[in-house]
Amino acid sequence: MIVVTALLGLLCVPAHAGAAGSAAIGGRASASPSWLVAQFPAPLEGVAPLGDISRETLPLNDGWAAAGGGTTGGSTADDAHVFTVRNRGELVRALDGGSSTPKIIRIAGTIDANTDDDGDHLDCADYATDGYGTAKYLAAYDPRTWGSAKPSGPQEEARQASAAKQAERIELTVGSHTTIVGLGDDAVLEGASLQVKDASNVIVRNLELRDAYDCFPVWQPNTGGLGDWKTAYDNIWLRGATHVWIDHVTLSDKGHPDEREPTYFGRNYLRHDGLLDITNASDLVTVSWSRFADHDKAILIGNGDTATGDRGRLRVTLHHNAFESVVQRAPRVRFGQVHLYNNRYVVPADAHDYRYSVGVSTESAIHAENNAFHTPGHIEVADLVKSWNGSALHQSGTLFNGYPVDLLAIYNAYNSGSERDLTADLGWKPTLHTKIDSAAAADRAVARGAGAGRFP
């Protein structure tokens, strides 16, 4: 009994579901080797206590990810595949190349994806290779001399080689039957792009993911008529992924906001792509109690109007999420059946580049209910929705600056003559969902409880 008691502070989480009776956990750096950390993680200190959630599974009926047997992540992992990781090297080893072995990965403290094998930080200059330089790239592809052709030649080749070096460090593949959770209330994954590709049964919870910063944006001369900069990385990218639960995460550009980047060729030199993209026939996804903040393009569901293979897929539930200072795509949807309920939208008073919140695109079917919007005076109700070849949007219970509004009727009236009316007939009705609160009650609850480290 004495030996067992002495080991309680070191042993991995017991193989049982739920948080009841589990010990408080937190985060502190450790020099222990990875194999020892996996088997016997050191006691963690310095953060507010938070019950162990690493073996919890998606509750019954909690959105689309609850369909077809639900989403359990790595809850069945044996003790040899429960890891506590504190740096990029340990995280990469725990991910095991995206293997489908059931695994639980617990992130302690801040992990910087832009680090070398010795744990030293890497910046953009460390990735640049083959003579790449921003000034050289700008000189080579200035539209006044290069024209409208797609960039090619030595500097574009050098950009691609440099980008590949960065991608090797920051793109992290997540395999099937994996749970990734943050320990305590300060777990951060910085500079990384979590990629769930052709994998199933994945859970990501209680984690801040920030600043998936692209060192090498590409110039696209014909985008939008005037050209634009395109970046490569989403904080989380689901491609062909099924049964995914993302809960109590915070996603943002924290550290490097795009608005502070310079303007080249008359366009903002963007460094970030999406916060969460759900594409390539991904399906059965629930995103709950999460915070999307300080970003341009938040959530893309369906990546192309011609991707007809997405029909019947892209079924996503978004509930009790906060969208704060987000310019657009909250979400933008193609093809998918999306249940959007009890979310909170906040557009700051000084917003000058806000475009829309809900994007209705090709063959999308969005069922929006009891969502609350807070905007400054220059933004009107009709601005909340944007349609690109969309046809349907069901809405009910919408609050706009505290007042109930009929979002669909106002949108149609405002855009009559310039865009085709949207119908409320989606052809489907959500059946998988938790309790749907009034927009006012959800607004207050989300303000208090959405995001990493904010479990009740």
Side-chain angles (χ1 to χ4, degrees):
M1 178 62 71
I2 294 175
V3 173
V4 172
T5 303
L7 288 175
L8 283 177
L10 299 174
L11 290 175
C12 295
V13 181
H16 60 77
S22 57
I25 51 181
R28 184 177 66 178
S30 170
S32 301
S34 296
W35 66 267
L36 184 57
V37 170
Q39 303 283 341
F40 303 105
L44 303 168
E45 302 173 356
V47 297
L50 178 68
D52 181 23
I53 60 170
S54 59
R55 291 192 185 270
E56 289 185 354
T57 62
L58 178 70
L60 291 174
N61 299 317
D62 193 349
W64 275 116
T71 300
T72 60
S75 61
T76 62
D78 58 30
D79 287 348
H81 292 93
V82 178
F83 306 91
T84 299
V85 300
R86 298 170 175 83
N87 57 54
R88 179 191 175 278
E90 292 177 350
L91 175 57
V92 168
R93 287 188 287 275
L95 287 168
D96 191 26
S99 77
S100 60
T101 303
K103 63 184 73 67
I104 293 171
I105 302 172
R106 307 183 303 177
I107 293 179
T110 296
I111 292 179
D112 181 2
N114 286 291
T115 52
D116 63 18
D117 291 341
D118 294 324
D120 295 325
H121 178 73
L122 300 171
D123 60 24
C124 294
D126 295 311
Y127 295 123
T129 188
D130 295 351
Y132 175 85
T134 303
K136 295 178 183 178
Y137 191 87
L138 295 172
Y141 306 113
D142 188 325
R144 293 172 297 182
T145 54
W146 178 260
S148 60
K150 182 180 178 180
S152 62
Q155 271 300 301
E156 172 58 16
E157 292 169 4
R159 187 203 65 80
Q160 292 179 18
S162 302
K165 287 183 65 177
Q166 185 185 19
E168 183 181 3
R169 305 308 296 179
I170 72 171
E171 291 183 346
L172 303 175
T173 302
V174 181
S176 298
H177 313 301
T178 298
T179 292
I180 301 175
V181 298
L183 297 185
D185 60 3
D186 66 349
V188 176
L189 184 53
E190 184 171 8
S193 176
L194 285 183
Q195 306 209 351
V196 186
K197 181 180 179 182
D198 300 326
S200 180
N201 197 28
V202 173
I203 295 173
V204 182
R205 302 183 73 198
N206 192 45
L207 181 64
E208 180 179 354
L209 298 105
R210 66 188 185 209
D211 194 23
Y213 186 88
D214 187 351
C215 288
F216 308 102
V218 60
W219 174 243
Q220 295 188 322
N222 295 311
T223 300
L226 298 175
D228 210 348
W229 294 99
K230 180 173 176 57
T231 54
Y233 307 115
D234 306 310
N235 291 44
I236 304 177
W237 188 7
L238 310 183
R239 290 182 287 171
T242 59
H243 284 104
V244 178
W245 181 29
I246 297 170
D247 176 67
H248 279 92
V249 302
T250 297
L251 304 102
S252 76
D253 298 343
K254 187 175 181 178
H256 291 99
D258 280 337
E259 64 186 24
R260 296 182 188 172
E261 295 293 335
T263 297
Y264 296 135
F265 307 154
R267 309 295 287 173
N268 184 218
Y269 193 52
L270 297 174
R271 299 290 196 158
H272 304 90
D273 194 7
L275 293 177
L276 169 62
D277 278 13
I278 304 170
T279 66
N280 300 82
S282 291
D283 198 19
L284 304 178
V285 177
T286 296
V287 183
S288 57
W289 292 99
S290 293
R291 181 172 178 261
F292 300 81
D294 305 317
H295 187 80
D296 184 355
K297 304 175 182 70
I299 302 177
L300 179 65
I301 302 175
N303 60 324
D305 292 343
T306 61
T308 55
D310 288 344
R311 286 176 178 148
R313 298 180 181 272
L314 298 176
R315 292 172 290 180
V316 179
T317 299
L318 300 166
H319 74 83
H320 293 93
N321 301 294
F323 298 92
E324 301 171 358
S325 193
V326 167
V327 175
Q328 57 186 314
R329 297 186 183 178
R332 179 178 176 178
V333 183
R334 296 180 177 94
F335 295 103
Q337 295 180 353
V338 175
H339 192 194
L340 183 70
Y341 75 90
N342 281 171
N343 299 287
R344 168 183 166 89
Y345 295 80
V346 179
V347 182
D350 59 352
H352 62 279
D353 55 355
Y354 174 81
R355 298 188 183 181
Y356 67 92
S357 292
V358 181
V360 184
S361 297
T362 303
E363 297 186 33
S364 63
I366 303 171
H367 188 105
E369 55 185 320
N370 296 17
N371 298 295
F373 296 83
H374 303 268
T375 75
H378 66 278
I379 295 175
E380 301 179 5
V381 175
D383 297 326
L384 305 179
V385 176
K386 177 67 177 174
S387 174
W388 295 266
N389 197 35
S391 60
L393 170 67
H394 175 92
Q395 79 82 45
S396 62
T398 303
L399 279 186
F400 179 75
N401 291 330
Y403 294 94
V405 296
D406 187 328
L407 184 59
L408 180 61
I410 293 173
Y411 171 84
N412 283 337
Y414 186 87
N415 292 283
S416 179
S418 61
E419 298 179 13
R420 69 175 177 178
D421 284 356
L422 299 176
T423 176
D425 183 9
L426 302 178
W428 76 287
K429 184 176 181 179
T431 58
L432 291 171
H433 55 78
T434 56
K435 179 178 180 292
I436 299 178
D437 299 314
S438 70
D443 189 31
R444 294 189 296 269
V446 170
R448 292 191 304 268
R454 291 188 172 187
F455 281 85

Coordinates of all heavy atoms in Angstrom, one line a residue, residues 100 120 172 187-188 230 232 242 274 339 343 397 406:
S100 N -3.4 4.6 -36.2 CA -4.8 4.4 -35.7 C -4.8 3.7 -34.4 O -5.9 3.3 -33.9 CB -5.6 3.6 -36.7 OG -5.0 2.3 -37.0
D120 N 15.0 24.1 -30.0 CA 15.3 25.5 -30.2 C 14.3 26.1 -31.2 O 13.9 25.5 -32.2 CB 16.7 25.7 -30.7 CG 17.8 25.3 -29.7 OD1 17.5 25.5 -28.5 OD2 18.8 24.8 -30.1
L172 N 1.0 18.6 -38.3 CA 1.0 17.4 -37.4 C -0.2 16.6 -37.7 O -1.3 17.0 -37.6 CB 1.0 17.9 -35.9 CG 2.1 18.9 -35.5 CD1 1.9 19.4 -34.1 CD2 3.5 18.2 -35.7
A187 N -3.0 25.1 -21.4 CA -2.4 24.3 -22.5 C -2.5 25.0 -23.8 O -3.6 25.4 -24.2 CB -3.0 22.9 -22.5
V188 N -1.4 25.1 -24.5 CA -1.3 25.9 -25.7 C -0.5 25.1 -26.8 O 0.6 24.6 -26.5 CB -0.7 27.3 -25.5 CG1 -0.5 28.0 -26.9 CG2 -1.4 28.1 -24.5
K230 N -2.1 34.1 -50.7 CA -2.8 32.9 -50.2 C -1.8 32.2 -49.3 O -0.6 32.0 -49.5 CB -3.1 31.9 -51.3 CG -3.8 30.6 -50.8 CD -4.3 29.8 -52.0 CE -4.9 28.5 -51.4 NZ -6.0 28.7 -50.5
A232 N -1.1 28.9 -46.3 CA -1.2 27.4 -46.4 C -1.9 26.7 -45.2 O -2.3 25.6 -45.3 CB 0.2 26.9 -46.6
T242 N -14.0 11.7 -40.3 CA -15.4 11.4 -39.8 C -15.4 11.2 -38.3 O -14.4 10.8 -37.7 CB -15.9 10.2 -40.5 OG1 -15.1 9.0 -40.2 CG2 -16.0 10.3 -42.0
G274 N -7.4 29.4 -42.4 CA -8.6 29.2 -41.6 C -8.3 28.8 -40.2 O -7.2 28.4 -39.9
H339 N -26.1 22.3 -38.4 CA -27.0 22.7 -37.4 C -26.2 23.8 -36.6 O -25.1 23.5 -36.0 CB -27.4 21.6 -36.5 CG -28.5 22.0 -35.5 ND1 -28.8 21.2 -34.4 CD2 -29.3 23.0 -35.5 CE1 -29.8 21.7 -33.8 NE2 -30.1 22.9 -34.4
N343 N -25.1 30.0 -30.6 CA -23.8 30.6 -30.7 C -23.8 32.1 -30.4 O -24.9 32.7 -30.6 CB -23.2 30.3 -32.1 CG -23.0 28.8 -32.4 OD1 -22.2 28.2 -31.8 ND2 -23.9 28.2 -33.2
G397 N -35.4 32.3 -33.7 CA -34.9 32.7 -32.4 C -33.7 33.6 -32.4 O -33.0 33.7 -31.4
D406 N -36.1 38.5 -37.6 CA -36.3 37.4 -38.6 C -35.2 37.5 -39.6 O -35.3 38.3 -40.6 CB -37.7 37.5 -39.3 CG -37.9 36.3 -40.2 OD1 -37.0 35.7 -40.7 OD2 -39.1 35.9 -40.3

